[in-house]
Amino acid sequence: MKGIVDSRDILYLDGISKEFSSVRVLDQITFGIREGEVMGLIGENGAGKSTLIKIICGIYQPTEGQVLLNGELVDIPDYITGKKLGIGIVPQEFNLINSLTVYENIFLGNEIHKGLLLDKKLMRLKAREQLDRLKMPVDVDKLVSDLSVAEKQMVEISKAMILDARILIFDEPTTTLTGHEVEILFDLMRNLREKGVTMVFVSHKLHEVKTICDRVTVFRDGKLISVDDIAEVDEHDLARKMVGRDFSQVFPPKLKRAENTVILEVGHFCIANLLKDVSFTLRKGEILGFAGLVGAGRTETMEALMGLRRLEKGTVLLNGEIVKIKNARDAVDHKLGYISEDRQGKGIVQGFDIPKNISLISLPDKYVRHGFIDKAAEDLSANHYIDEFKVVAASKKMELKYFSGGNQQKVYLARWMDTEPQILILDEPTRGIDINAKREIYEFIHALAESGISCILISSEMEEIIGLCSRVYVMKEGHIADCLEGDEITEENIMFNATGIKKGN
Ligand SMILES: Nc1ncnc2c1ncn2[C@@H]1O[C@H](COP(=O)(O)OP(=O)(O)OP(=O)(O)O)[C@@H](O)[C@H]1O
Ligand SMILES: [Mg+2]
């Protein structure tokens, strides 16, 4: 045994290493997790957090090392055994089945029976109770395919919660949630902690880790760097430990005022119950923000612009000319790009490798010669993007599902850059991205705008909007509440317009 098991530890990881095709992604990890604590797990994209969690749950087997539960060696050969031992997980990538309803998903694999039949009534009731605890009014009979990403996240949390696990692991549960929903989740976690449930919490948002965790472990390149009481470290210390050097300014300096040339004019977008007379302008080379609460209509506006939603009314003027964008192909032809907030559902193809993911849209225009796909050109271009976005991958030929969340996002970004857009819409582009990669993405958006490409940034992270945008439209309940510019872009003004509530009230 390499460490000493503390009697307070419910779980003890003893010299855990993991290799995938002889690439070592976890190296001799030894530490304990105490009963009834919330243990934070942080580290850059690809540091090995999800891999370690999957070992704890039995989804992966360690190459070396062992797991002790209550001081006893345990073998967790599969996920079902993990579940039986009282270990539950809210996975980073959703594991929901779109064609099933909310309650069917929550009870999948744990169905309640009444005699030989399924007790649907009881399952519906229990699912309802669980969602109520998360203050999620979503209908339990709704199909998961019809849910927003935030709702899907809450269903995934409910699915883990109904197991009454002793150890509950949350792998980045807050990436798709807004501040209000995060607070609800944290209240629930505090409640569980009072009941003695042990939790592991992974997040790239250091202020969340500071808020909810009792202790925090930092990982870097598959190695355990530190375990600290949360009171003893501040966000700056944590960032430094993660990155391995001092870390300062996150946002590049604001762009000088963009040119006045209006490149895009959206007029009177209307969709019943979703959008009410949404109009806005976009100037050449600016970073235009869209703020608002979840469900305010920001994503719907952009999907309508991209031809992905049918409008009841509305016009689009591109470079002063009326254009009709009826589908995604029209949008691409007009040089519009859209990084969707739903990376897994509408973004990357899990079963494709990096080159195929990147060339997905640009293939017919750039990589087909004489009726054949020019593989060499496709590979060359993939290499270029891997360098540019610093994608960490053992091999570019690996299917995307094996990549860490942050690296998947970079590949998705690369796909749209390969279409050479004039307007790039980025919907929550830094979700699940570590602080270092975030800064890279901010610098990238900045450089795009400087080169004359107009960017629209939808973000629920206030500091991103304030740090990057020259103008901000704030949406509320399907309409534009206000457009803020320059010094008017403050947290207070954004919140007031998004909620109608003044700070302090
Ligand atoms: N099944 C697999 N096959 C091959 N490589 C894998 C597999 N699963 C993970 N990896 C690799 O292991 C490394 C660690 O990945 P992991 O998903 O644990 O990172 P992470 O810390 O959770 O990152 P993120 O913050 O982006 O979610 C990455 O380089 C990843 O590509
Ligand atoms: Mg992960």
Side-chain angles (χ1 to χ4, degrees):
M1 195 146 308
K2 292 159 194 84
I4 300 163
V5 186
D6 187 312
S7 61
R8 288 170 292 183
D9 289 343
I10 182 167
L11 193 72
Y12 188 79
L13 305 169
D14 183 28
I16 301 272
S17 298
K18 178 70 182 169
E19 290 177 3
F20 290 109
S21 9
S22 67
V23 178
R24 188 161 270 233
V25 302
L26 284 178
D27 191 19
Q28 297 283 327
I29 304 296
T30 298
F31 72 100
I33 299 173
R34 294 177 191 154
E35 178 144 33
E37 77 172 339
V38 181
M39 174 65 104
L41 215 65
I42 63 172
E44 292 186 84
N45 295 130
K49 304 175 296 290
S50 296
T51 305
L52 184 73
I53 281 173
K54 286 178 186 161
I55 290 175
I56 300 176
C57 296
I59 299 170
Y60 288 160
Q61 296 308 304
T63 312
E64 285 167 16
Q66 48 203 18
V67 178
L68 281 84
L69 196 63
N70 288 319
E72 311 244 328
L73 262 184
V74 281
D75 185 23
I76 317 178
D78 50 43
Y79 167 68
I80 307 280
T81 312
K83 215 159 70 174
K84 282 191 188 133
L85 289 168
I87 304 169
I89 180 172
V90 178
Q92 180 172 13
E93 312 296 341
F94 295 145
N95 249 330
L96 305 173
I97 299 187
N98 277 325
S99 55
L100 296 182
T101 64
V102 167
Y103 91 85
E104 286 167 338
N105 266 286
I106 291 179
F107 282 95
L108 193 69
N110 296 290
E111 291 81 2
I112 304 177
H113 292 269
K114 193 172 169 184
L116 287 174
L117 301 174
L118 289 175
D119 192 344
K120 292 189 181 171
K121 201 170 153 204
L122 188 60
M123 286 193 283
R124 278 203 186 92
L125 192 77
K126 284 191 175 279
R128 179 72 271 142
E129 276 172 17
Q130 188 49 53
L131 288 162
D132 284 345
R133 288 169 77 189
L134 290 163
K135 302 195 174 54
M136 257 288 134
V138 55
D139 184 352
V140 295
D141 287 313
K142 209 167 167 179
L143 286 181
V144 160
S145 54
D146 295 335
L147 302 184
S148 71
V149 273
E151 289 168 337
K152 282 184 192 164
Q153 180 67 70
M154 289 305 200
V155 172
E156 195 68 81
I157 293 171
S158 303
K159 196 173 146 189
M161 297 286 305
I162 57 120
L163 296 175
D164 278 332
R166 278 192 298 163
I167 300 172
L168 197 51
I169 303 173
F170 295 91
D171 197 354
E172 299 196 35
T174 58
T175 32
T176 59
L177 305 180
T178 58
H180 175 62
E181 294 152 332
V182 172
E183 266 318 305
I184 295 171
L185 175 66
F186 283 2
D187 278 344
L188 190 92
M189 288 174 72
R190 288 187 191 103
N191 256 326
L192 289 172
R193 175 164 52 191
E194 272 169 30
K195 291 185 185 138
V197 176
T198 308
M199 284 166 278
V200 176
F201 178 76
V202 183
S203 174
H204 286 292
K205 297 179 189 163
L206 300 178
H207 60 272
E208 292 183 354
V209 174
K210 272 295 275 180
T211 307
I212 195 68
C213 296
D214 301 299
R215 291 195 300 157
V216 56
T217 46
V218 179
F219 280 72
R220 195 194 316 143
D221 296 332
K223 294 193 175 62
L224 181 71
I225 300 298
S226 60
V227 184
D228 290 294
D229 281 338
I230 203 72
E232 277 158 23
V233 278
D234 61 22
E235 289 179 36
H236 201 82
D237 301 329
L238 293 176
R240 195 173 46 232
K241 285 173 186 242
M242 274 167 57
V243 181
R245 59 184 156 75
D246 227 342
F247 201 81
S248 51
Q249 182 59 28
V250 176
F251 294 101
K254 277 225 178 178
L255 288 172
K256 285 189 215 76
R257 199 168 158 20
E259 293 174 42
N260 271 330
T261 328
V262 170
I263 173 166
L264 173 79
E265 219 175 317
V266 160
H268 314 287
F269 271 16
C270 289
I271 301 178
N273 301 324
L274 283 176
L275 299 181
K276 293 173 217 148
D277 202 28
V278 174
S279 302
F280 68 90
T281 55
L282 174 69
R283 297 174 187 154
K284 187 169 166 49
E286 81 170 327
I287 306 177
L288 178 67
F290 268 78
L293 303 179
V294 165
R298 297 167 300 169
T299 295
E300 289 77 5
T301 301
M302 299 313 154
E303 287 181 347
L305 173 61
M306 290 297 293
L308 303 172
R309 268 180 197 273
R310 194 172 291 278
L311 280 166
E312 276 153 27
K313 205 179 124 196
T315 52
V316 178
L317 272 154
L318 202 57
N319 297 312
E321 288 185 16
I322 291 192
V323 291
K324 290 254 179 277
I325 301 173
K326 292 191 286 299
N327 52 44
R329 190 68 238 174
D330 288 350
V332 173
D333 290 344
H334 285 298
K335 299 271 166 222
L336 262 59
Y338 178 48
I339 315 280
S340 161
E341 65 173 335
D342 189 1
R343 176 179 73 224
Q344 287 179 66
K346 298 177 185 156
I348 55 155
V349 183
Q350 302 267 1
F352 279 11
D353 62 10
I354 297 192
K356 274 194 185 155
N357 259 291
I358 293 181
S359 66
L360 196 73
I361 304 172
S362 45
L363 190 81
D365 298 333
K366 289 178 83 168
Y367 304 106
V368 176
R369 289 190 222 304
H370 314 299
F372 292 99
I373 298 173
D374 184 348
K375 285 271 175 211
E378 205 185 30
D379 277 1
L380 206 65
S381 146
N383 287 343
H384 158 77
Y385 288 111
I386 288 171
D387 278 355
E388 184 177 348
F389 292 117
K390 304 191 180 76
V391 178
V392 183
S395 152
K396 66 172 183 289
K397 294 292 180 193
M398 208 158 74
E399 288 178 20
L400 229 56
K401 64 177 170 233
Y402 299 125
F403 282 57
S404 78
N407 285 306
Q408 291 182 351
Q409 179 71 339
K410 290 179 179 179
V411 172
Y412 185 30
L413 205 57
R415 175 194 303 163
W416 277 106
M417 286 322 295
D418 208 42
T419 67
E420 297 168 15
Q422 275 312 299
I423 296 174
L424 187 64
I425 304 165
L426 303 111
D427 196 346
E428 307 283 2
T430 61
R431 246 180 206 170
I433 299 261
D434 72 53
I435 41 169
N436 214 13
K438 245 183 202 171
R439 183 165 65 175
E440 284 166 21
I441 288 188
Y442 297 150
E443 276 165 7
F444 163 76
I445 297 174
H446 196 264
L448 276 186
E450 254 183 341
S451 75
I453 296 175
S454 310
C455 300
I456 296 179
L457 174 69
I458 300 183
S459 175
S460 298
E461 284 196 48
M462 200 77 89
E463 56 180 33
E464 260 175 34
I465 295 272
I466 297 171
L468 283 172
C469 301
S470 53
R471 288 191 307 140
V472 177
Y473 285 94
V474 187
M475 288 191 74
K476 184 185 169 216
E477 292 162 11
H479 71 272
I480 301 228
D482 203 359
C483 177
L484 307 170
E485 194 161 350
D487 295 343
E488 297 165 359
I489 307 176
T490 62
E491 188 167 343
E492 202 170 353
N493 280 340
I494 294 175
M495 275 321 282
F496 174 62
N497 281 293
T499 61
I501 302 167
K502 274 226 155 64
K503 213 178 176 179
N505 284 358

